[in-house]
Amino acid sequence: MILIEGTSYITFGEGTLTELELAIFKKKQTSPYEYQYDSIHALLFELHMRMQIMKSAKALSRAGVYFAGFERTLCNPSYWHLTDEGRFQLKSGVAPQDAIRDIFTNGGSYGFECSMAVIVVLYHALLQSIDPGQFDLLFADLLLFDWDSNSKLNLIDRTHTEEAVMGDVLYFENPDVEQLLPWWKGENVVLLENDLFYGHGHGLGIASGEEVINVLNKYRIPGSMKSAFLTDRYVHPDFSCFSEYQRPSKERPITARIGDWIHVRKVGYLIN
């Protein structure tokens, strides 16, 4: 259930939400779990950014970035310093927004593994969702690695994957991975529409959950009967932390509280 200002009675006028945004709203609204928002603005920002996460995932899948383990990580030295741990540290004097965009425009200069890929997706989606100048201020010392090393994204850790919606980051685990092939121990993925997932590397790209599991199962120890599986853990940014930085070009819809109902109508609410 979605709660805003103490009510769960929310209605949107025609065209206020896209088809996919409406699907996310309906799933959260009919959930037995409670999702609280400070305002309609915060809810709309989350729906918008979730759309951007999916667009960024698809864009990265087409960008030509190589899959590489930590020891073979690659980056464009014009924007990033590659640390001994395989992390990308933003170079002095480089705008964070330019460095993130370069990954998508010069993908052939980059190679990283799946956990960094989803972090890149989240940063790019955030850049598309908030004012670029604010993005540069928020991430002036940008460091790219895995989802446990990017606290500035304010990732919220959740369980119960039946509650996951489009734009969430999930993980497939391969418990009996062949020890000589540790990069097949699992796959970080972004949930897309139609129950598809984006997973970087291993030739996966955009695939169904069954396809991800089938690929991982090929790299188990001989004789293993333990299949790869989708874990209960999933994460997403704390969207409310970033909603105040929404791009100035975004116009808020008209909202009206009538009794227990909140009515929302589109008035030039722009979606990039």
Side-chain angles (χ1 to χ4, degrees), residues 24-52:
I24 294 173
F25 170 76
K26 287 181 176 179
K27 181 170 182 178
K28 284 179 169 281
Q29 184 68 308
T30 58
S31 168
Y33 295 89
E34 190 175 284
Y35 296 96
Q36 294 198 31
Y37 295 87
D38 292 335
S39 64
I40 283 289
H41 167 65
L43 171 60
L44 288 173
F45 177 82
E46 175 180 328
L47 295 174
H48 169 69
M49 186 171 166
R50 286 184 178 278
M51 297 301 101
Q52 294 299 332

Side-chain angles (χ1 to χ4, degrees), residues 165-221:
V165 295
M166 291 174 278
D168 283 328
V169 176
L170 297 88
Y171 184 68
F172 286 87
E173 181 177 341
N174 190 9
D176 275 354
V177 63
E178 170 61 55
Q179 293 183 358
L180 295 178
L181 302 170
W183 47 89
W184 292 102
K185 66 181 179 181
E187 184 75 19
N188 295 275
V189 296
V190 175
L191 179 58
L192 306 176
E193 67 269 36
N194 301 320
D195 294 321
L196 295 176
F197 300 90
Y198 161 70
H200 174 63
H202 309 327
L204 289 174
I206 295 173
S208 68
E210 182 179 3
E211 288 172 322
V212 175
I213 289 173
N214 287 341
V215 169
L216 292 175
N217 280 345
K218 294 178 182 178
Y219 300 94
R220 293 177 291 177
I221 57 177

